Amino acid sequence: MIYIPSYKRPTDCLTARVFKSAIICCHEFEAEEYRKNNTNKILVMPDSICGQGMAKIRNWIVDHAEEEYIVLMDDDIASMGYYEGK
């Protein structure tokens, strides 16, 4: 499953537009705005980890993810592609 940690981008979480089944992770104080502006599932993180750095936030997500295998992606990815061969 794809998890997207996001902060202060409830109307501009680009990665959620590309990956509709991804889970957006946001802090309690902004969860309602994310719910209003996105159709993705929301994982609410406690406000107490806000401002403690991305490492703590990513570790919190890993500890609270329901799946055994997850991918964490930035919230500003507008598209993805790959090259095959040369």
Side-chain angles (χ1 to χ4, degrees), residues 12-76:
D12 200 27
C13 185
L14 301 178
T15 309
R17 295 178 193 165
V18 176
F19 299 100
K20 296 290 186 185
S21 63
I23 298 172
I24 300 172
C25 307
C26 65
H27 297 287
E28 292 174 278
F29 75 91
E30 57 186 351
E32 192 55 39
E33 284 299 311
Y34 275 89
R35 284 188 185 103
K36 283 195 302 191
N37 292 288
N38 297 277
T39 58
N40 300 62
K41 183 177 174 183
I42 305 292
L43 176 62
V44 179
M45 301 181 292
D47 289 340
S48 60
I49 63 169
C50 188
Q52 293 189 19
M54 279 307 296
K56 290 223 182 215
I57 290 169
R58 289 180 185 276
N59 286 334
W60 187 92
I61 294 168
V62 169
D63 291 342
H64 292 85
E66 295 177 2
E67 300 81 13
E68 183 177 358
Y69 301 104
I70 68 169
V71 174
L72 294 168
M73 299 182 83
D74 290 342
D75 65 355
D76 59 354

